Amino acid sequence: MNKRYEDLEELMSTGEAREVKRAMAVRMSLLGFVRAEAALACCVSVQFVDKWKAIYLASGVEGLKLAYKGSPGYLKPREREDVINWIQEKKTITIEELKRYLKEEYDVFYSSNTSYTKLLEEANLSYKKTHKENSAKDEVKVEAKKKEIKDLIDKEREQIESGEVMYWMQDESHQLWGDICAYVWSKKGERTSIKMSNYRTSQTWYGAVNIYTGEFILDRAKKADTKYTIDFINWLIYRYKEARHVIIWDGASYHRSEGLRTYLEKLNGGLPESEWKVRLLRFAPNAPEQNPVEDIWLQGKNWVRKNFHRLSSFEEVTSMFETFLSGKVFKFNKIKQYLIPNI
């Protein structure tokens, strides 16, 4: 048997419970099991598998033991400065990458991630979630669209102030059972689970924020399509009968369908554009971050995640989401940027 596996099996036979779990996870990974399989079999996270495999490869089986204190080596002041400079040259970095670099270049291995975190903080890095950005995004088009919207708002400033015209930024969200899952503090080595009756259960929401008042309105729908889009517009008109509406949204197919165009032609009844009951504008393509409603959805979902322990059914999930967002007022920079000079 490969010596690399013998030392792991010995620790699995003689070690304490936490050492056994570490050795088992590492051994399964080295035997070729995918990370998720090893994590599931050992009742740990994928991150747990990655962490202890990296420590084992760097320090051997001793690194998996509870009493292991890491390499006696440490960074001298000049070396620490060089490491900080190396970190700052990188746009992103992981702790595992930093561990490998310190081990290979300086033969330094810390037993606690805190030592690595301190180095990253000294380099003025912070731990943050990555964000998707569409490679097809055109900044020129984004800026041109912002200017177009600002110019329209400025032109109709008096009507907006009086409530005669309402500008809305609109979006849809599809809420799933899985949206309730998030990071929480819990006992080490134990999995924190949320019982779900049906993973595919979902709720579609239509939402719009008034860019002058900051008022957010929310409505349920079975799905996002032309029919429910028209239903939402009709509901908006019903709520604010005396106003004319400008809706700004993305280029989803049901936002530009033939059925929607037919509906608008009938609704606006041949009137000049300045008197239309509803006008539609689109954001620049491939740049969802333009729409402040994206941030509003995130606030609602984060609130639900923070309160997951109080929820036992998907109906409670959607009810909490709706209660949190309904009637709220949002005035943040993504809205204010269109109100220059400020209303």
Side-chain angles (χ1 to χ4, degrees), residues 74-272:
Y74 61 92
L75 291 173
K76 298 174 182 177
R78 180 56 188 270
E79 292 175 338
R80 192 176 188 88
E81 182 179 338
D82 289 341
V83 171
I84 297 297
N85 291 334
W86 176 81
I87 294 172
Q88 290 176 334
E89 290 175 357
K90 295 182 169 294
K91 185 175 181 180
T92 62
I93 188 174
T94 65
I95 286 182
E96 297 304 326
E97 186 179 355
L98 179 57
K99 286 180 179 179
R100 287 194 298 271
Y101 178 76
L102 292 181
K103 185 65 180 175
E104 292 170 3
E105 296 295 324
Y106 302 99
D107 194 29
V108 169
F109 180 81
Y110 299 116
S111 59
S112 170
N113 277 349
T114 302
S115 299
Y116 299 101
T117 302
K118 287 181 179 178
L119 283 171
L120 295 172
E121 289 174 346
E122 280 187 49
N124 201 30
L125 270 64
S126 61
Y127 188 66
K128 62 186 71 173
K129 183 180 179 180
T130 57
H131 294 273
K132 297 179 287 185
E133 182 168 314
N134 195 316
S135 60
K137 174 183 174 182
D138 187 329
E139 289 290 353
V140 174
K141 290 182 179 180
V142 170
E143 292 305 314
K145 180 58 68 172
K146 285 182 181 178
K147 184 177 185 306
E148 177 188 347
I149 296 171
K150 287 177 182 178
D151 289 346
L152 286 170
I153 291 170
D154 194 49
K155 183 178 179 181
E156 298 190 298
R157 189 166 299 273
E158 290 185 9
Q159 294 95 321
I160 293 172
E161 289 179 335
S162 67
E164 181 182 343
V165 176
M166 293 184 171
Y167 273 71
W168 302 90
M169 292 185 175
Q170 192 278 335
D171 193 34
E172 299 84 32
S173 177
H174 307 284
Q175 190 178 19
L176 307 172
W177 242 126
D179 289 336
I180 196 174
C181 294
Y183 289 98
V184 295
W185 289 97
S186 60
K187 291 183 179 179
K188 293 181 178 180
E190 292 185 9
R191 176 174 296 190
T192 302
S193 301
I194 299 171
K195 295 186 182 299
M196 299 181 181
S197 56
N198 187 343
Y199 287 87
R200 295 186 179 181
T201 302
S202 65
Q203 174 63 57
T204 296
W205 299 96
Y206 275 70
V209 63
N210 185 311
I211 67 171
Y212 176 50
T213 65
E215 176 192 9
F216 184 68
I217 60 173
L218 184 69
D219 194 25
R220 293 176 181 246
K222 289 185 178 179
K223 59 181 178 179
D225 63 7
T226 298
K227 175 189 178 303
Y228 287 103
T229 299
I230 292 173
D231 285 349
F232 180 76
I233 295 174
N234 283 333
W235 180 64
L236 183 65
I237 294 171
Y238 177 79
R239 283 180 61 122
Y240 306 95
K241 297 182 179 67
E242 303 304 319
R244 290 182 283 111
H245 302 277
V246 178
I247 300 174
I248 310 169
W249 54 17
D250 61 31
S253 59
Y254 44 85
H255 290 167
R256 46 189 170 84
S257 66
E258 184 176 348
L260 183 62
R261 287 196 298 271
T262 300
Y263 160 79
L264 289 173
E265 288 172 3
K266 183 177 179 181
L267 176 69
N268 293 321
L271 294 169

